[in-house]
């Protein structure tokens, strides 16, 4: 993990992942051939003149390169806008405060002048959380890239305080030097920051075992237009509503995180894992439910449905005996609709007990190689999206969560909704899904859907499919987002999930700390005003 970030794409320059010929053949079979999107380039953009801010008191930039690099995140509309050079909004400047006090000073100055401030950590939001909004007010992107590193470590209590701009690999490197480990590993781990994790209420791959970020959050410092607000770490308290949890997931609307205290632990002695195949999606769901409710689940529980299993095997490009063995296994009647299940992390004895239960339900072990390969490639998978877009395939991901009793109808309902909407649009869609981030009372369903891109209709087609997904999820008892957040993309439907009174409460909170509505307007609330 090193080098400069790519423009209008995932990850770093010099790194890319290309889909296999077999995977491309599968996509052409299911959705047809689309119109390729042009490769991303910084050439050809004509940015409006920056509305100068004068003296900010911090390091800041207003050149076109900086403004272009920080105008959007990683959502599908963001990428299309940058690839086709139809992006409409750009920041007027990019600030790099180096201390919490400087963050506060920027916010205070912005509030006095009515400037919009978009806080930005790693810029990995796929729901428009860091996309610069259109509007008449000057906009400043506030980066946390100079707020990095370990602030303090209380080893006796297992508490580590980090500056909000610290990247995932830096967190684990700092902790490893002192014999500790966090274990929070979202797919954006290499690119995302501590502050971004907390601001979006993120979940890592190992959340079933180590907890989500809200479980790891012990204390925080937040910058507001009126000053710095600190919540010291305590193991538990009964002093009204839990304010740390209120701030967690606020996506910049209730302040900018400057430092965060997290609960850490000693690293595991080993990291065992196992890949297996179960006879069907429904068998796999029942197995996952049993493992969670019987206390046998390891840190990672990931069940792919049959379409995702098919694509995963195609992308793996198995050779020789591995290819032959895979074909023979899935040719058996028992595994004609077989699904891959990945279990890993945690205690070896728990994994052995989990495997015994899996065997009782008809699972077949493929050994540890699949776990090791997944560990190696898990942060590389998002690079594939850029290649798919360049080849004419639209692709997006949406995730939800629901109780175990609702998961089956939710899974089937989303497939029906996307297929029906695609048919009405005159396109074909291929929908994949995996179950992950499992709990005693339910689990997350993570959908990936592909369609053939149509030139000049890329965002319009995406928006229709996205709306079909949202309507299906909300009508079938799912949540708008399990770990991607609300951003600007889900804001129009927030009230549908939290209710009128819930929306009023959130708006009142935002108004109380930000009466002029400068903090990330348009995120959480669709009208852009608190």
């Amino acid at each position: 993990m090193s080098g400069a970030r790519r423009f209008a794409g995932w990850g770093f320059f010099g790194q890319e992942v290309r889909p296999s010929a077999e995977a491309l053949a599968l996509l052409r079979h299911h959705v047809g051939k689309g119109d390729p999107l042009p490769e991303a380039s910084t050439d050809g953009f004509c940015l409006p003149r920056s509305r100068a801010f004068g003296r900010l008191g911090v390091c800041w930039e207003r050149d076109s390169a900086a403004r272009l690099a920080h105008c959007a995140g990683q959502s599908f509309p963001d990428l299309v806008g940058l690839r086709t050079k139809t992006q409409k909004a750009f920041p007027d400047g990019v600030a790099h405060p180096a201390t919490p006090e400087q963050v506060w000073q920027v916010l205070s100055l912005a509030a006095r002048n009515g400037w919009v401030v978009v806080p930005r950590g790693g810029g990995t939001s796929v729901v428009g959380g860091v996309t610069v909004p259109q509007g008449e007010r000057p906009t400043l992107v506030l980066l946390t890239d100079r707020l990095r590193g370990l602030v303090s470590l209380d080893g006796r209590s297992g508490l580590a305080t980090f500056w909000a701009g610290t990247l995932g690999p830096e967190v684990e490197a700092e902790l490893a030097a002192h014999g500790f480990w966090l274990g929070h590993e979202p797919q954006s781990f290499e690119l995302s920051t501590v502050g971004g994790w907390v601001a979006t209420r993120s979940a890592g791959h190992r959340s079933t075992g180590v907890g989500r970020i809200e479980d790891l959050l012990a204390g925080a410092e937040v910058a507001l237009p009126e000053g710095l607000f600190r919540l010291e770490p305590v193991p538990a308290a009964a002093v009204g509503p839990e304010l740390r949890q209120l701030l967690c997931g606020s996506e910049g609307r209730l302040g900018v995180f400057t430092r965060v205290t997290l609960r850490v632990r000693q690293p595991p002695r080993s990291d065992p894992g196992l890949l297996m195949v179960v006879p069907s999606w429904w068998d796999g769901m029942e197995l996952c439910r049993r493992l969670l409710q019987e206390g046998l689940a390891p840190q990672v529980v990931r069940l792919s449905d049959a379409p995702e299993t098919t694509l995963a095997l195609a992308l793996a490009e198995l050779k020789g005996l591995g290819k032959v063995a895979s074909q023979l296994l899935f040719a058996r009647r028992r595994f004609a609709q077989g699904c891959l299940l990945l279990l890993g992390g945690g205690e070896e004895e728990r994994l052995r007990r989990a495997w015994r239960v899996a065997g009782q339900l008809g699972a077949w072990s493929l050994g540890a190689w699949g776990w090791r390969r997944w560990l190696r490639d898990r942060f590389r998978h998002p690079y594939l999206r850029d290649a798919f877009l360049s080849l004419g395939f639209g692709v997006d991901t949406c995730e939800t969560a629901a109780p175990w009793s609702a998961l089956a109808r939710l899974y089937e309902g989303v497939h029906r909704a996307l297929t029906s909407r695609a048919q009405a649009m005159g396109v074909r869609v291929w929908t994949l899904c995996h179950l992950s981030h499992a709990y005693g009372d339910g689990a997350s369903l993570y959908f990936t859907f592909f369609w053939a891109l149509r030139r000049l209709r890329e965002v319009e087609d995406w928006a229709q499919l996205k709306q079909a997904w949202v309507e299906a999820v909300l009508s079938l008892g799912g949540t708008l987002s399990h770990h991607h957040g609300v951003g600007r993309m889900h804001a129009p439907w927030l009230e549908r999930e939290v209710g009128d009174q819930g929306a009023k409460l959130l708006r009142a909170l935002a108004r109380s700390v930000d009466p002029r509505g400068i903090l990330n307007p348009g995120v959480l609330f669709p009208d852009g005003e608190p």
Side-chain angles (χ1 to χ4, degrees):
M1 192 276 298
S2 62
R5 290 283 296 271
R6 296 173 63 196
F7 173 71
W10 191 265
F12 303 96
F13 282 113
Q15 295 189 29
E16 63 177 358
V17 178
R18 307 292 297 180
S20 66
E22 184 179 353
L24 294 177
L26 272 173
L27 286 172
R28 285 192 290 269
H29 170 74
H30 284 284
V31 305
K33 187 177 181 181
D35 299 318
L37 272 176
E39 295 285 346
S41 169
T42 57
D43 298 330
F45 282 91
C46 183
L47 274 63
R49 184 176 180 180
S50 172
R51 292 163 285 188
F53 294 102
R55 293 181 59 84
L56 286 181
V58 303
C59 174
W60 72 288
E61 306 168 278
R62 61 177 178 180
D63 60 277
S64 294
R67 295 168 60 205
L68 182 58
H70 299 97
C71 67
Q74 293 288 320
S75 72
F76 182 84
D78 288 338
L79 299 184
V80 172
L82 292 173
R83 280 178 173 241
T84 60
K85 297 178 173 51
T86 56
Q87 176 70 17
K88 294 182 173 60
F90 304 90
D92 295 281
V94 180
H96 302 264
T99 67
E101 290 74 19
Q102 288 186 352
V103 177
W104 161 62
Q105 289 167 11
V106 170
L107 298 185
S108 177
L109 187 61
R112 292 198 299 272
N113 290 279
W115 304 333
V116 167
V117 177
V118 177
R120 183 183 177 106
T124 59
S125 173
V126 295
V127 293
V130 296
T131 305
V132 171
Q134 293 181 263
E136 297 300 320
R137 295 187 290 177
T139 301
L140 185 68
V141 168
L142 192 154
L143 293 181
T144 58
D145 58 338
R146 297 181 68 191
L147 291 166
R148 290 163 75 168
L150 179 67
V151 179
S152 64
L153 176 65
D154 178 355
R156 185 173 178 83
S157 305
L159 297 172
T161 300
F162 287 93
W163 295 116
T166 311
L167 295 166
E170 296 169 347
V171 168
E172 293 298 4
E174 293 268 22
L175 290 176
H178 297 277
F180 286 92
W181 178 69
L182 180 65
H184 186 71
E185 300 171 353
Q187 198 162 48
S188 61
F189 174 76
E190 295 180 326
L191 312 171
S192 55
T193 65
V194 168
W197 297 344
V198 179
T200 57
R201 197 175 283 270
S202 73
H205 289 139
R206 298 177 187 267
S207 65
T208 297
V210 305
R212 292 162 51 95
I213 197 64
E214 64 262 32
D215 303 312
L216 303 173
L217 177 63
E221 178 183 75
V222 177
L224 300 165
E226 294 186 355
L228 295 174
F229 174 47
R230 295 185 182 89
L231 289 166
E232 300 297 336
V234 291
V239 287
E242 186 16 77
L243 295 180
R244 296 162 191 79
Q245 293 301 314
L246 193 63
L247 293 171
C248 189
S250 57
E251 300 187 35
R253 290 306 300 264
L254 301 181
V256 179
F257 285 99
T258 55
R259 69 182 99 191
V260 174
T261 301
L262 300 171
R263 299 181 175 100
V264 298
R265 66 197 78 192
Q266 292 186 345
R269 291 187 296 271
S270 62
D271 199 19
L274 186 67
L275 181 66
M276 61 186 74
V277 59
V278 294
S280 72
W281 170 252
W282 312 112
D283 292 319
M285 282 182 60
E286 176 60 17
L287 171 57
C288 292
R289 185 191 67 82
R290 281 192 57 182
L291 293 180
L292 265 296
Q293 294 183 348
E294 295 176 17
L296 299 177
Q299 294 172 351
V300 177
V301 176
R302 183 186 175 105
L303 170 70
S304 295
D305 69 358
E308 186 172 280
T309 293
T310 300
L311 182 60
L313 291 172
L315 289 169
E317 297 185 276
L318 299 176
K319 307 291 184 184
L321 290 178
K323 181 74 171 180
V324 173
S326 172
Q327 292 172 337
L328 290 175
L329 177 63
F330 286 91
R332 297 177 61 178
R333 183 176 181 181
R334 176 179 168 190
F335 293 114
Q337 293 296 314
C339 298
L340 292 175
L341 173 61
L342 191 71
L343 300 177
E347 303 168 359
E348 292 190 20
E349 176 56 29
R350 176 174 293 194
L351 188 63
R352 284 193 289 268
R353 293 171 64 191
W355 165 240
R356 286 196 290 270
V357 174
Q360 295 169 7
L361 293 179
W364 184 285
S365 174
L366 300 178
W369 72 271
W371 168 251
R372 291 192 295 267
R373 180 162 183 160
W374 179 80
L375 285 177
R376 184 194 71 190
D377 294 341
R378 56 193 161 147
F379 302 136
R380 291 170 52 81
H381 296 155
Y383 284 86
L384 281 166
R385 179 181 57 172
D386 299 319
F388 287 136
L389 294 177
S390 297
L391 292 166
F393 299 107
V395 57
D396 200 15
T397 61
C398 301
E399 30 69 64
T400 183
W404 290 109
S405 58
L407 285 182
R409 67 174 181 268
L410 181 58
Y411 173 82
E412 293 179 325
V414 166
H415 277 77
R416 285 196 303 270
L418 287 172
T419 299
S420 176
R421 182 63 60 90
Q423 289 175 346
M425 294 162 53
V427 300
R428 287 184 287 159
V429 66
W430 190 31
T431 305
L432 289 60
C433 183
H434 65 254
L435 180 154
S436 60
H437 309 291
Y439 310 89
D441 55 349
S444 166
L445 294 182
Y446 191 107
F447 293 91
T448 302
F449 53 97
F450 292 90
W451 71 99
L453 292 174
R454 297 190 287 186
R455 187 172 291 112
L456 303 181
R457 298 188 59 175
E458 296 93 348
V459 175
E460 178 186 343
D461 287 347
W462 165 85
Q464 290 200 47
L465 292 171
K466 176 72 175 182
Q467 183 176 18
W469 183 90
V470 170
E471 294 293 341
V473 164
L474 291 179
S475 66
L476 294 169
T479 179
L480 275 171
S481 175
H482 172 263
H483 57 269
H484 284 168
V486 176
R488 289 177 175 78
M489 192 175 294
H490 294 143
W493 295 282
L494 178 70
E495 190 171 324
R496 283 269 302 272
E497 176 158 339
V498 304
D500 176 64
Q501 292 301 317
K504 285 181 179 178
L505 177 60
L506 291 174
R507 288 175 184 272
L509 286 169
R511 189 179 299 114
S512 69
V513 299
D514 179 26
R516 297 202 64 180
I518 67 158
L519 287 169
N520 226 8
V523 169
L524 296 184
F525 314 121
D527 57 6
E529 298 294 339

